[in-house]
Amino acid sequence: MSSYTKDVCLICKDKKGKLSQQYCLDNEKHPTYEERYDCWDGLTYLECWSFIRMNETKEEYEERMSKRFNHSLMGIGFFYLLQIL
């Protein structure tokens, strides 16, 4: 028995995608995990971010974009305010 326990991914939470109904490519439950897994690859978190983006609904995408747009406007407004002062 191994003392190693896998932590739950902080990005995809080890859940299936809403649209694909598959696990993240970096998840042990994904069908191609064994053939692609590389323990020395420190960039596997990018697989999770790609998975999240590919499985987000239209509503989630629009919400994310509106937050990005609002934050951009706040940053621009602050920048102009600094120039005026």
Side-chain angles (χ1 to χ4, degrees), residues 2-64:
S2 173
S3 62
Y4 171 77
T5 57
K6 182 183 180 302
D7 295 328
V8 173
C9 177
L10 297 175
I11 300 169
C12 67
K13 311 281 192 257
D14 289 344
K15 295 182 179 179
K16 284 187 176 184
K18 293 177 185 175
L19 302 178
S20 69
Q21 294 300 309
Q22 291 287 327
Y23 288 100
C24 170
L25 294 173
D26 196 37
N27 189 309
E28 294 174 350
K29 296 177 184 176
H30 192 277
T32 62
Y33 176 81
E34 287 295 324
E35 63 194 53
R36 291 179 313 89
Y37 178 72
D38 180 4
C39 66
W40 300 106
D41 184 2
L43 300 175
T44 55
Y45 69 94
L46 295 174
E47 301 280 7
C48 290
W49 281 119
S50 174
F51 170 78
I52 294 292
R53 296 296 182 252
M54 296 301 290
N55 279 285
E56 73 182 348
T57 63
K58 184 177 179 181
E59 293 80 19
E60 290 170 331
Y61 171 78
E62 289 171 353
E63 180 182 342
R64 183 170 56 88

